[in-house]
Amino acid sequence: MGSDTVMGTAERRRTPGADEAYVTPQRSAEASDRDNPVGNAGPYRPLWVEEPARRRRLPDPVRTAAVRAVLLIAVTLLQAMVAFLCTMAGSWLAFPMVISSVVSTIAATWGALDVWVTRQVWSQRHGVVSMPSSTARALRRERRRSRRQARADERAQERIRRRGGAGQLSHP
């Protein structure tokens, strides 16, 4: 057996009696893999490309309420399942589990309503993005148009008064 096959990686890095390191073909393949993890000759490509989120992240209070609601609903479903199994088995634990399931159902309903209310409150406090087709914008546009028309009519009447009634068909 050759001495090269018995040597480990540390021994192969240095030649016996030499101060400088040499690279074996196996070492150079490792280095090229580290420099280019994809394995092709092109530039480095990341493993994934981050895409922008399709929807914005929920505000913190709304997200907190949603997590709370999901936990309450999960516990409620678990309790309902245990109550059902205890009832089918005829266990003494069935009655307390049914009672706790009813209470937990009320709490889960409150949690779901809490998410809805928290979202509404957050939207009212922090404003809603106005869309071009929103009703409020259309109403403002209509009001502006009527004010412009009123000012134009007023200027026309003022012009007639300044001319001293010229252009009227009959004088009183």
Side-chain angles (χ1 to χ4, degrees), residues 77-150:
L77 290 173
L78 187 68
Q79 283 182 336
M81 185 181 67
V82 170
F84 174 75
L85 293 175
C86 287
T87 303
M88 297 307 288
S91 172
W92 63 270
L93 196 58
F95 182 70
M97 287 306 296
V98 167
I99 296 298
S100 69
S101 292
V102 170
V103 171
S104 194
T105 301
I106 294 168
T109 305
W110 170 82
L113 285 173
D114 183 42
V115 173
W116 181 67
V117 169
T118 306
R119 188 166 183 238
Q120 295 297 323
V121 168
W122 193 90
S123 294
Q124 284 181 354
R125 283 186 185 163
H126 296 88
V128 181
V129 177
S130 179
M131 303 295 281
S133 62
S134 72
T135 310
R137 190 171 286 187
L139 288 173
R140 282 196 307 262
R141 194 177 299 131
E142 184 62 37
R143 270 187 255 135
R144 260 188 258 126
R145 190 177 298 133
S146 65
R147 279 194 303 250
R148 277 192 217 118
Q149 185 63 40

Side-chain angles (χ1 to χ4, degrees), residues 13-33:
R13 288 190 185 155
R14 295 189 174 266
T15 56
D19 290 336
E20 57 192 39
Y22 74 95
V23 178
T24 62
Q26 180 184 11
R27 178 76 178 130
S28 64
E30 290 172 7
S32 67
D33 284 348

Side-chain angles (χ1 to χ4, degrees), residues 51-66:
E51 297 176 2
R54 294 185 182 173
R55 293 190 328 180
R56 288 184 305 168
R57 182 176 164 170
L58 284 174
D60 287 340
V62 179
R63 195 171 57 251
T64 303

